[in-house]
Amino acid sequence: MGVSILFFSAVAVFAVWWLSKHRLASKPWLEQGTASEFPGAGVSQTPVAKVGLTVLLASLAALFALFISAYVMRMQFADWRPVAKPTLLWVNTGVLMLSSAALQRARVAAEHDDEREIRAYLVAAGSTALAFLIGQIVAWQQLVALGYALASNPANAFFYLITGLHGLHVVGGLVALGWVMWRRSRAERPDVRLGLALCGMYWDFLLLIWLVLFGLLLLT
Amino acid sequence: MGDVLIGRGDAIPPAEVVDVELYHPHSWITKYVFSQDAKVIALQYSLTALAIGLVALVLSWLMRLQLGFPGVFSFIDPSQYLQYITMHGMIMVIYLLTALFLGGFGNYLIPLMVGARDMVFPYVNMLSYWVYLLAVLVLVASFFVPGGPTGAGWTLYPPQAILPGTPGHEWGIILMLVSLIIFIIGFTMGGLNYVVTVLQARTRGMTLMRMPLTVWGIFTATVLALLAFPALFVACVMMLFDRVLGTSFFIPALVSMGEQLKYGGGSPILFQHLFWFFGHPEVYIVALPAFGIVSDLIATHARRNIFGYRMMVWAIVAIGALSFVVWAHHMYVSGMNPWFGFFFATTTLVIAVPTAIKVYNWVLTLWRGDIHLTVPMLFALAFIVTFVNGGLTGLFLGNVVVDVPLSDTMFVVAHFHMVMGVAPILVIFGAIYHWYPKITGRMWNEALAKFHFWITFLGAYAIFFPMHYLGLLGMPRRYHDIGQTSFIPESAHTLNAFISIVALIVGVAQMVFLFNMFWSLRHGRKADGNPWRATTLEWQTPETPPGHGNWGKELPVVYRWAYDYNVPGADQDFIPQNQPPTPRPA
């Protein structure tokens, strides 16, 4: 449970820090008035959607942390036979990084309203993410061809399960990105900066999770 | 009170909100079926949860019939008995308590109490309910598949959960796991709303420390749920893989029915860790909203400010944090390193500290209060007694040496029913009676409500008190039929019959509650906007029941905390949160 304990401790530290900024030691029964002058008394200026996504990512991070904990605990049993690491996974990692970078560029382009550049980078980000997914499926097929069947060893089962779940989250991200692009195509000069920022956050999160998962796979 | 005046104390003009911000329903369907109004979603959640709760009630009757009169009801065979146990437990914990407290009360109360127009993501909120309904339907479907629902016990421990010999191992367990996965997805959608609405949609002046404890309880419970449900999700997905795809995450090598199964090497203990990493926070996911709600009921109906508000908030947060480090006290009998047992016993007992602080503060709020024995207050008082009772037996079971012999007896059944069955349900009833006038604009019939209270309260004690004694005698839980054993005297069987008869009576009394709720919709006395003369914002809405958007053109502005009851020198015995302070004479 080491990984999970680390993750949940981090959440706890964040929670304590956040609460400490909100006058948790004040004596509300003695205070009247609108309280608007007090720092930390009101709501933050961050867009609601961004806070929402952050909370969602925290929940997803808990999910992956628990999967990794389960992985590490199951690994210690005698029947564990490490899965092969196809070279393709390195390529996929690079492609996912490119995708994240493209989305980052799209955000920069949106800052100075460069329509052509935004579209180019969005298409690049979407297609690289799609390429990552296809690459993962091909990697699965390579492993199956090498005889690493899902049910034959827990290492294989974990590999397919965790990469599958990660892939599903990439699919979800693609849907969100598609929605942003659809909104752009409908309005005359839409403000997609928030949408792009959210997609960017999500992409970076998925890249981070992938790097952790890939690192775990390489080490074991 | 009012020694410190923040700002100059004069009223600032409230923020007007443009009309288009809200999604307005255009037809009956979008108003009542696919509604994005948190209040309608709350009612959908609540009614669905109560409906599936009735199924759980009937299952408990069937169990009690078998336990009280073994052999009389021949249609209840051992497999069915196990299925009743499993489905009763799962429905009550997940599909009723979690859904009702967070989906029901959370949706209704959070926006109103923090002065928001609605949840921050109304569309996602609507989806959350429909996904929850789907989860319930998948669960119900498992009653109709070949082999029936799973009988693995609500903890679904592998390997037995998916092996032949356990009822429902063909289809029931698959539907159970799928239903839980769907539930978690739906809950996450709702949970995002509850958390972010508290974070970002509080009205002006509503600081964190001015929020009613109900909001604190629901907020903290939702944070716990968003972090703990992933553990159940992981466990369910992996078990589903084991069952459907033949992987061996949890299933060791074993011989079943004389055949060597293709499984091998898996770890059942791994499942237990994942399950209880969710399972113990789940207790507080149910309890924290109950703590919050009961604090508000007590303050309002005893006309006193809550004693130690700050301590109450800190205790909620502390309990929430501690609930993540006690999970393995559910696994003492699975065997563990004594040092771990020592650690988890310590953390378990430490939770008693913040919990006891809460109990003291409730009692001290009542002390010298102007106690009105209204129906919500009766339920709140009953909760305190019941919770203390269940909590004390929890101290017994938190110790490894006491837990091990008692673990598989009726003592544990009595303990967890008292502390997380009866106690939260008493709060649910109290809360429904408390907010019913706001939700419907009518009062319920008081005589029927009191009848319902006394039967439920005394009945629950008649059912679960003797169970402690049965457990100490060594009567095992989960047994279909005890039969004749030397250590269980004849009187224990008589006691079992008595418990069963009371359980039937208490069950019937719940029909009185349902009747009262529906009858009063039409025939109840008209309620005014604030029948309890309460301070919190939901009672200050311009309309009762509140319309879509909750507030009129302007959002309320909050000037004070939520518990200004019987303030010396004030005109009334309560000052609403949105009443500006009177400027001090210069």
Side-chain angles (χ1 to χ4, degrees):
Chain A
M1 300 297 279
V3 178
S4 293
I5 289 170
L6 209 64
F7 172 75
F8 283 95
S9 311
V11 172
V13 168
F14 175 80
V16 169
W17 170 80
W18 186 83
L19 285 170
S20 70
K21 291 197 356 179
H22 282 78
R23 305 185 65 242
L24 227 61
S26 63
K27 297 178 174 158
W29 54 92
L30 297 177
E31 298 175 348
Q32 294 181 8
T34 53
S36 49
E37 288 87 357
F38 276 74
V43 301
S44 83
Q45 295 303 308
T46 322
V48 167
K50 209 167 190 169
V51 178
L53 183 63
T54 312
V55 176
L56 175 68
L57 293 186
S59 188
L60 291 180
L63 179 75
F64 282 104
L66 286 156
F67 260 120
I68 292 170
S69 280
Y71 183 97
V72 173
M73 281 170 82
R74 184 66 181 81
M75 204 175 78
Q76 290 153 5
F77 287 82
D79 61 337
W80 186 274
R81 301 282 174 277
V83 74
K85 288 99 187 168
T87 324
L88 185 56
L89 289 180
W90 287 98
V91 180
N92 289 347
T93 310
V95 169
L96 195 60
M97 283 174 164
L98 281 181
S99 191
S100 237
L103 210 50
Q104 179 61 32
R105 292 305 298 269
R107 282 160 76 180
V108 174
E111 284 303 320
H112 41 79
D113 252 355
D114 190 334
E115 276 301 306
R116 271 194 51 234
E117 233 180 90
I118 298 179
R119 186 178 316 156
Y121 281 122
L122 278 183
V123 171
S127 44
T128 39
L130 208 59
F132 170 79
L133 283 175
I134 295 168
Q136 293 287 78
I137 293 173
V138 174
W140 279 8
Q141 284 170 343
Q142 290 179 352
L143 281 173
V144 172
L146 286 172
Y148 292 95
L150 172 80
S152 62
N153 196 274
N156 311 348
F158 264 113
F159 177 80
Y160 293 117
L161 175 57
I162 297 185
T163 51
L165 201 73
H166 180 261
L168 273 181
H169 283 87
V170 175
V171 171
L174 278 172
V175 171
L177 192 68
W179 187 69
V180 171
M181 288 168 89
W182 179 77
R183 241 178 20 143
R184 257 174 51 82
S185 70
R186 290 228 332 177
E188 190 56 39
R189 289 183 66 80
D191 188 8
V192 290
R193 273 176 305 179
L194 179 61
L196 283 182
L198 296 180
C199 283
M201 257 172 86
Y202 188 72
W203 247 249
D204 293 347
F205 172 78
L206 285 183
L207 176 62
L208 179 72
I209 293 285
W210 171 249
L211 290 178
V212 172
L213 293 177
F214 192 42
L216 179 74
L217 195 71
L218 289 179
L219 287 175
T220 51
Chain B
M1 301 286 154
D3 300 327
V4 180
L5 220 55
I6 297 181
R8 286 179 324 246
D10 45 1
I12 54 165
E16 274 193 35
V17 173
V18 212
D19 209 33
V20 290
E21 248 190 48
L22 278 176
Y23 169 86
H24 284 294
H26 300 293
S27 66
W28 189 85
I29 298 257
T30 46
K31 194 166 177 189
Y32 293 109
V33 184
F34 294 105
S35 172
Q36 300 188 18
D37 182 349
K39 294 184 295 298
V40 179
I41 296 170
L43 295 181
Q44 291 173 326
Y45 253 113
S46 304
L47 292 175
T48 311
L50 289 176
I52 192 73
L54 282 179
V55 175
L57 179 71
V58 171
L59 293 174
S60 73
W61 279 348
L62 293 168
M63 279 187 278
R64 278 321 312 183
L65 285 179
Q66 171 61 31
L67 281 177
F69 312 98
V72 177
F73 300 93
S74 53
F75 65 93
I76 306 175
D77 61 32
S79 295
Q80 273 175 335
Y81 180 75
L82 292 174
Q83 290 168 328
Y84 300 158
I85 290 187
T86 308
M87 297 309 269
H88 171 81
M90 200 58 107
I91 289 173
M92 291 304 287
V93 173
I94 309 265
Y95 299 87
L96 189 143
L97 287 171
T98 308
L100 194 51
F101 269 122
L102 301 180
F105 290 114
N107 263 316
Y108 202 89
L109 294 176
I110 290 175
L112 278 166
M113 283 187 149
V114 302
R117 294 198 174 272
D118 206 329
M119 287 290 181
V120 285
F121 311 119
Y123 187 79
V124 180
N125 205 20
M126 173 187 81
L127 279 185
S128 161
Y129 167 71
W130 290 98
V131 176
Y132 163 65
L133 183 65
L134 178 65
V136 171
L137 292 178
V138 172
L139 183 83
V140 170
S142 72
F143 283 99
F144 303 102
V145 291
T150 176
W154 91 278
T155 54
L156 304 177
Y157 275 8
Q160 53 93 18
I162 64 171
L163 294 183
T166 300
H169 74 99
E170 307 100 325
W171 284 101
I173 185 70
I174 297 178
L175 288 177
M176 180 86 255
L177 296 170
V178 169
S179 171
L180 285 172
I181 290 171
I182 298 172
F183 178 90
I184 295 166
I185 294 170
F187 173 80
T188 307
M189 296 175 177
L192 285 179
N193 265 298
Y194 318 148
V195 170
V196 180
T197 302
V198 172
L199 291 180
Q200 296 295 93
R202 282 172 288 135
T203 189
R204 284 209 268 170
M206 180 60 87
T207 64
L208 284 189
M209 292 305 274
R210 281 176 174 175
M211 294 197 304
L213 287 167
T214 300
V215 178
W216 266 109
I218 296 175
F219 171 69
T220 314
T222 310
V223 173
L224 295 192
L226 285 175
L227 295 171
F229 269 119
L232 182 65
F233 188 91
V234 170
C236 285
V237 169
M238 284 164 62
M239 178 122 80
L240 202 59
F241 267 55
D242 278 0
R243 170 66 187 81
V244 179
L245 300 172
T247 54
S248 300
F249 289 119
F250 301 134
I251 314 294
L254 39 77
V255 176
S256 168
M257 313 268 175
E259 264 179 81
Q260 175 74 38
L261 298 183
K262 58 188 180 356
Y263 295 112
S267 163
I269 299 289
L270 174 58
F271 177 87
Q272 296 185 17
H273 277 298
L274 288 170
F275 183 86
W276 289 114
F277 195 81
F278 146 78
H280 199 83
E282 169 64 26
V283 174
Y284 292 98
I285 291 165
V286 171
L288 290 180
F291 291 169
I293 288 171
V294 96
S295 309
D296 284 353
L297 297 191
I298 286 175
T300 307
H301 295 271
R303 320 302 302 159
R304 274 199 88 200
N305 58 348
I306 194 83
F307 187 92
Y309 173 84
R310 275 194 306 176
M311 227 21 128
M312 292 299 245
V313 171
W314 296 350
I316 286 179
V317 175
I319 294 171
L322 283 173
S323 72
F324 276 99
V325 288
V326 297
W327 79 91
H329 70 212
H330 297 273
M331 296 161 59
Y332 290 153
V333 285
S334 307
M336 63 175 74
N337 185 319
W339 288 108
F340 286 150
F342 175 74
F343 172 79
F344 283 107
T346 311
T347 52
T348 303
L349 299 184
V350 164
I351 284 207
V353 176
T355 331
I357 289 176
K358 297 196 78 68
V359 174
Y360 282 123
N361 285 356
W362 290 323
V363 174
L364 289 167
T365 305
L366 290 167
W367 180 253
R368 295 193 158 187
D370 176 10
I371 298 177
H372 296 261
L373 287 178
T374 54
V375 178
M377 184 58 148
L378 288 175
F379 276 105
L381 296 175
F383 162 81
I384 298 180
V385 179
T386 312
F387 183 73
V388 168
N389 195 312
L392 287 177
T393 50
L395 291 181
F396 286 49
L397 295 173
N399 289 291
V400 187
V401 283
V402 187
D403 180 73
V404 169
L406 285 177
S407 184
D408 277 327
T409 69
M410 289 307 235
F411 191 88
V412 173
V413 177
H415 158 70
F416 68 69
H417 274 92
M418 274 299 202
V419 81
M420 84 167 288
V422 179
I425 284 172
L426 288 172
V427 176
I428 286 178
F429 284 135
I432 291 176
Y433 283 114
H434 183 77
W435 278 292
Y436 187 82
K438 178 54 66 180
I439 297 168
T440 63
R442 302 269 181 174
M443 301 299 285
W444 23 257
N445 180 305
E446 175 122 8
L448 283 181
K450 286 207 163 144
F451 173 78
H452 170 234
F453 167 75
W454 285 110
I455 300 281
T456 306
F457 175 54
L458 298 179
Y461 272 73
I463 294 169
F464 293 110
F465 243 34
M467 268 189 209
H468 293 96
Y469 170 70
L470 291 177
L472 289 175
L473 277 181
M475 180 163 300
R477 56 197 275 224
R478 307 193 189 96
Y479 275 37
H480 169 252
D481 189 352
I482 308 291
Q484 293 301 322
T485 47
S486 57
F487 64 92
I488 294 174
E490 188 53 39
S491 61
H493 297 290
T494 320
L495 196 54
N496 250 336
F498 167 77
I499 293 175
S500 296
I501 291 166
V502 181
L504 291 175
I505 296 171
V506 172
V508 173
Q510 307 316 309
M511 304 304 133
V512 175
F513 163 76
L514 289 179
F515 171 78
N516 195 358
M517 290 299 120
F518 287 109
W519 184 83
S520 303
L521 273 183
R522 269 281 166 94
H523 306 282
R525 184 161 54 81
K526 274 230 186 306
D528 66 24
N530 190 359
W532 310 120
R533 295 175 300 134
T535 55
T536 41
L537 284 182
E538 81 274 24
W539 300 103
Q540 325 302 335
T541 53
E543 300 164 60
T544 296
H548 188 39
N550 294 347
W551 318 98
K553 219 170 169 46
E554 294 165 358
L555 286 174
V557 180
V558 170
Y559 296 98
R560 58 188 74 243
W561 74 324
Y563 300 98
D564 265 346
Y565 291 105
N566 268 318
V567 179
D571 304 337
Q572 289 175 298
D573 75 340
F574 73 104
I575 311 176
Q577 281 192 280
N578 58 349
Q579 182 173 316
T582 37
R584 254 188 281 188

